[in-house]
Amino acid sequence: MTLELTGTSRRGFIQASASAAGLLLAFQIAPKAGAAEAGVKPLNAYVRVAPDGMVTIMAKNPEIGQGVKTSLPMLIAEELDVPWENVRIEQADSDPKLYGRQFAGGSMATPLHWEELRRVGAVARAMLIEAAALAWNCPAGECSTDRGMVIHASTKRRASYGSLAGQCAGVAVPDARSVAVKDPKDYRIIGKATPQYDTARIVTGQPLFGIDVRRPGMLYATYEKAPVFGAKVASADVAAAKAVKGVKDAFVVEGGENLSGLLPGVAVVGDSWWAARKGRDKLAVKWAAHPTSAQSSAGFAKRAGELSAGAPQKVIRKDGDADQALKGAAKTVKAAYAYPFLAHVAMEPMNCTAEFGKDGKLEIWAPTQNPESGRQLVAQTLGLKPDDITIHMTRCGGGFGRRLSNDYMVEAAWIARAAKAPVKLVWTREDDIKHDFYRPAGFHFLEAGLDAQGNVVAWKNHFVTFGEAPDKPASSAGMGPNEFPGRFVKDCQVGVSTMPLGVPTGPLRAPGSNALAFVHQSMIDELAHAAGQDPVAFQLKLLGDQKLVGEGPSAFNAERMRGVLKAVAEMSGWGKTKLPARTGMGVACYFSHLGYFAEVVRARVDAAGKVKPEKVWVAVDVGHQIVNPSGAMNQVQGAAIDGLSHALFQKVTIENGAVAQNNFYDYPVLRMADAPPVEVKFLKTAYPPTGLGEPALPPALPALCNAIFAATGVRIRELPVDARLLRT
């Protein structure tokens, strides 16, 4: 095994030094000037052991509600062999020179850190054992550990980690690859349901989030941007804004054309956020004309239809001859599917606090999923050195991919420099919905063929999306060539056409998959019904008896998918329950972000067309170990409910180049009273553990839509679900 950790070159692993405070365990990277504590080397510290035995573990990644502030330290604590009640967790600042990449996205925290952070703990434990062995003049191999103690069984000597911490300075650091890690049967922390570390502070309202930050002398800011993305300020009544009580300043920001950066707008700064908000109301901004104002959702749909009538601009998959196979099919099914733009609507709106020191260096407090890209954006836009920017990562009140972009960070920094004071920028909910990086809309024109036995013999998809060209799609608007049932149908063709877009797009929870699963799994359900076959049996037959299809990152494990399909059918009593009228069950499965998921939704549709999801069953295969079962359960349940919300309610409409929606009244989310129970089963399989915050979402949408069809006979081919189609 090659173990490569954060840093440069071969990235030397654990180092240690002693101080009066105890043991400091860290990754040794390039020296950094100005160690704050005498005797402490400038290290990237993950573990500190205090004389009283309390262990502080640094959480390197942003916490956005996915639980990594708890689960990643659990990996270290397990191998360190310290009682969890003796662990304290601190959020690390953003420091790529010490920690490497620090980000939250792609459900990658577990796969990237499963091996690495366990070995951080194992090396620390080995060093403490060696310190005890040196003190006791015995071989280290005769010593063991138990709950924060080093033990020499034959002499019955015991020493606490706290008492040994100061003796580790002279201990040689073992090669991380050579240290033993625990057998899973000996786990005491990993695999045990563990409350999220910050829960008590959250429910008692203690400051944790970006929106809670306060700085001495801090002012508050709002920022008005054009409804049409990137339009410049033609005029603004800044004098009227400044006349509002409590407003300290108001000024036009020229901005640029990069939709991911500092866009043109007008800033208003006040001694309270409300004063700044009232000042903003007086601006009467007029915006310059912009070419994106010619774009609209209706226009996109019209253009997609026109493009679908011709050949795809690019064929990204061609196996056999799909056209010929369709001609020879016993039955064909043709369908057009579409899905809208979506906003992220994290509960905490975008915000950031920025403060310049007298030395011209900048400090930022931000709820960001991707702090380093924010640092680079701010440095480039404001002409600063990246090393002169410190980013303190606060807890995020949700993200779902929105906080991978840092436009709000560069806005706060720009305003703070102009205001010559610490500034906290807070967006309104309307800002949040109207200035997002949206999940792209998309259009799929499909045709598939069945033989006389109901086998899929042809599959054809013309995908119309956004971008400069098929090989240059807009952010999160592309599709790979291996989407299932690609590689499982002998005669298969997938083509792509694109159209220009002036609306910013970006990843939303389970990017790409959150829309593509709806299309592909709904179409497969259509084929099952056209073949007169049970949808679960049809999927299993389509998967065949193969194990692994393809190689490398795109490999698809059909055996694992069959496993979750069979499990969810058993969990839900699929095909064994007689359901009331206008109640149906739908099934879907999907592979994304390294996870295999199958879901069944039971839903009832009333006479007015309102859909009520009654229950969801989810079968999960994310490998051989769930780090924190309670956090994992929360993630799967939340993702499934999030998917139902997408399917039932959510839609961003572009009109004259701007977003038509404003707030939760016209961009609703699923409320607690309507959220169904979600039953989850984790299948432990012999594969490395992977993340699960995202892959539980995609199957929820088609499973719900397939349930609606089972209940009403109406096929949902466009999202969100239109109740008018379902009325009796």
Side-chain angles (χ1 to χ4, degrees):
M1 177 190 70
T2 299
L3 180 67
E4 187 172 82
L5 298 172
T6 56
T8 58
S9 182
R10 288 182 62 82
R11 311 176 190 183
F13 194 43
I14 306 298
Q15 297 291 324
S17 64
S19 72
L23 171 68
L24 182 68
L25 178 67
F27 295 149
Q28 171 81 51
I29 311 294
K32 186 176 180 180
E37 188 178 350
V40 178
K41 295 179 181 179
L43 305 175
N44 170 6
Y46 275 85
V47 176
R48 298 197 306 271
V49 181
D52 65 358
M54 296 303 297
V55 177
T56 299
I57 299 178
M58 302 303 291
K60 65 167 281 190
N61 277 6
E63 173 61 67
I64 59 172
Q66 82 282 40
V68 294
K69 189 176 179 181
T70 304
S71 63
L72 294 187
M74 286 173 70
L75 301 178
I76 297 173
E78 179 65 74
E79 295 295 342
L80 182 56
D81 200 12
V82 62
W84 185 248
E85 58 268 23
N86 288 1
V87 171
R88 300 292 179 267
I89 301 174
E90 290 183 9
Q91 177 66 61
D93 283 344
S94 171
D95 196 333
K97 292 182 180 178
L98 300 183
Y99 290 97
R101 282 198 73 189
Q102 295 168 272
F103 73 101
S107 292
M108 293 304 295
T110 298
L112 287 177
H113 297 101
W114 167 253
E115 188 72 24
E116 172 186 307
L117 294 186
R118 285 188 303 134
R119 292 191 178 274
V120 168
V123 169
R125 176 176 170 272
M127 292 174 67
L128 289 160
I129 288 175
E130 184 64 27
L134 289 171
W136 295 336
N137 195 27
C138 68
E142 293 181 1
C143 299
S144 62
T145 62
D146 183 46
R147 295 180 59 79
M149 302 289 291
V150 179
I151 301 165
H152 188 240
S154 62
T155 60
K156 298 184 179 180
R157 283 179 289 191
R158 300 167 65 89
S160 70
Y161 286 0
S163 68
L164 294 167
Q167 302 175 43
C168 286
V171 172
V173 181
D175 185 338
R177 292 165 292 191
S178 70
V179 296
V181 292
K182 287 184 178 181
D183 188 305
K185 68 179 176 55
D186 297 324
Y187 286 164
R188 292 172 169 173
I189 296 173
I190 293 175
K192 302 299 186 293
T194 303
Q196 298 300 310
Y197 187 74
D198 286 335
T199 297
R201 296 181 67 188
I202 292 170
V203 299
T204 55
Q206 297 182 49
L208 284 170
F209 299 91
I211 207 166
D212 297 323
V213 172
R214 301 287 188 275
R215 299 295 300 160
M218 185 179 77
L219 300 176
Y220 297 79
T222 62
Y223 192 55
E224 177 95 0
K225 290 184 286 189
V228 176
F229 304 96
K232 290 185 174 295
V233 179
S235 65
D237 194 346
V238 294
K242 291 179 181 180
V244 173
K245 183 179 179 180
V247 170
K248 299 297 185 182
D249 201 0
F251 48 88
V252 173
V253 177
E254 183 69 20
E257 298 180 353
N258 176 12
L259 295 183
S260 297
L262 180 68
L263 291 177
V266 186
V268 181
V269 181
D271 57 16
S272 69
W273 185 84
W274 185 244
R277 181 71 180 85
K278 296 301 288 183
R280 175 176 168 175
D281 290 342
K282 300 293 185 180
L283 287 171
V285 184
K286 293 182 179 178
W287 304 98
H290 193 279
T292 298
S293 62
Q295 297 183 352
S296 67
S297 291
F300 294 143
K302 182 175 182 292
R303 180 58 181 152
E306 293 169 352
L307 288 169
S308 74
Q313 295 168 358
K314 183 176 182 179
V315 173
I316 62 172
R317 180 170 203 96
K318 184 173 176 58
D319 299 326
D321 189 334
D323 289 323
Q324 189 62 36
L326 284 167
K327 291 178 182 177
K331 183 179 290 187
T332 60
V333 176
K334 200 171 185 178
Y337 279 82
Y339 43 84
F341 294 97
L342 291 183
H344 295 78
V345 289
M347 287 296 99
E348 179 193 23
M350 301 304 108
N351 66 87
C352 180
T353 301
E355 179 177 354
F356 282 88
K358 293 181 180 179
D359 56 2
K361 295 183 178 181
L362 173 63
E363 280 191 89
I364 287 174
W365 292 260
T368 174
Q369 292 180 242
N370 198 2
E372 181 55 23
S373 72
R375 188 198 316 273
Q376 297 300 326
L377 176 65
V378 171
Q380 182 179 14
T381 307
L382 275 69
L384 302 174
K385 296 178 181 178
D387 286 348
D388 288 342
I389 303 172
T390 298
I391 298 179
H392 306 287
M393 294 188 295
T394 67
R395 190 179 179 101
C396 305
F400 314 112
R402 172 58 180 92
R403 288 183 158 97
L404 291 168
S405 298
N406 292 288
D407 48 333
Y408 54 94
M409 189 186 293
V410 73
E411 290 169 4
W414 187 279
I415 295 168
R417 186 168 67 177
K420 297 181 173 58
V423 165
K424 177 157 74 173
L425 171 71
V426 181
W427 287 22
T428 65
R429 177 59 62 193
E430 289 80 4
D431 292 334
D432 214 42
I433 290 179
K434 288 185 172 295
H435 291 284
D436 204 336
F437 292 83
Y438 305 94
R439 193 286 299 277
F443 308 86
H444 295 254
F445 301 88
L446 300 117
E447 188 172 7
L450 301 166
D451 66 14
Q453 289 73 45
N455 301 304
V456 183
V457 294
W459 179 277
K460 195 173 180 182
N461 183 6
H462 186 172
F463 173 37
V464 180
T465 184
F466 301 95
E468 297 177 34
D471 55 352
K472 292 183 179 180
S475 178
S476 297
M479 181 176 71
N482 296 321
E483 282 291 323
F484 184 76
R487 299 183 288 187
F488 288 80
V489 178
K490 180 182 176 183
D491 295 289
C492 176
Q493 178 178 308
V494 180
V496 180
S497 296
T498 55
M499 46 189 167
L501 180 67
V503 176
T505 63
L508 183 145
R509 193 175 193 173
S513 303
N514 54 44
L516 298 174
F518 158 66
V519 173
H520 293 90
Q521 286 290 301
S522 295
M523 183 64 172
I524 289 171
D525 194 74
E526 286 207 50
L527 293 173
H529 285 278
Q533 297 180 15
D534 173 79
V536 170
F538 188 83
Q539 290 262 21
L540 290 170
K541 184 171 67 170
L542 185 55
L543 287 163
D545 57 4
Q546 304 174 81
K547 180 178 179 180
L548 198 65
V549 178
E551 298 178 352
S554 65
F556 182 97
N557 193 312
E559 182 179 53
R560 296 177 76 180
M561 190 61 83
R562 290 194 298 270
V564 291
L565 262 172
K566 291 175 181 178
V568 83
E570 182 179 353
M571 292 166 62
S572 63
W574 180 267
K576 299 178 182 178
T577 305
K578 183 173 175 58
L579 300 173
R582 293 183 66 81
T583 300
M585 293 174 69
V587 65
C589 59
Y590 202 73
F591 167 64
S592 77
H593 298 80
L594 306 178
Y596 293 81
F597 282 71
E599 303 184 19
V600 169
V601 173
R602 186 180 71 222
R604 177 172 50 84
V605 184
D606 68 18
K610 180 181 178 182
V611 178
K612 170 67 175 175
E614 294 184 330
K615 188 165 182 179
V616 181
W617 294 266
V618 186
V620 180
D621 180 355
V622 289
H624 64 76
Q625 184 65 60
I626 302 297
V627 177
N628 184 1
S630 66
M633 186 72 71
N634 290 342
Q635 284 296 292
V636 174
Q637 292 173 331
I641 290 172
D642 205 2
L644 298 180
S645 196
H646 290 183
L648 288 170
F649 305 122
Q650 295 179 354
K651 180 178 184 178
V652 163
T653 307
I654 307 301
E655 296 177 1
N656 300 316
V659 170
Q661 286 68 31
N662 289 282
N663 209 312
F664 286 125
Y665 70 86
D666 58 359
Y667 192 85
V669 296
L670 195 68
R671 301 300 181 95
M672 289 181 68
D674 295 318
V678 181
E679 181 181 328
V680 181
K681 181 176 182 179
F682 296 103
L683 280 62
K684 289 194 175 182
T685 56
Y687 296 94
T690 56
L692 46 69
E694 298 183 90
L697 184 148
L701 289 84
L704 172 66
C705 293
N706 294 339
I708 292 171
F709 175 79
T712 65
V714 177
R715 183 62 67 180
I716 303 299
R717 297 194 181 104
E718 183 173 353
L719 295 178
V721 174
D722 187 343
R724 294 172 297 182
L725 301 176
L726 305 176
R727 293 170 184 164
T728 56

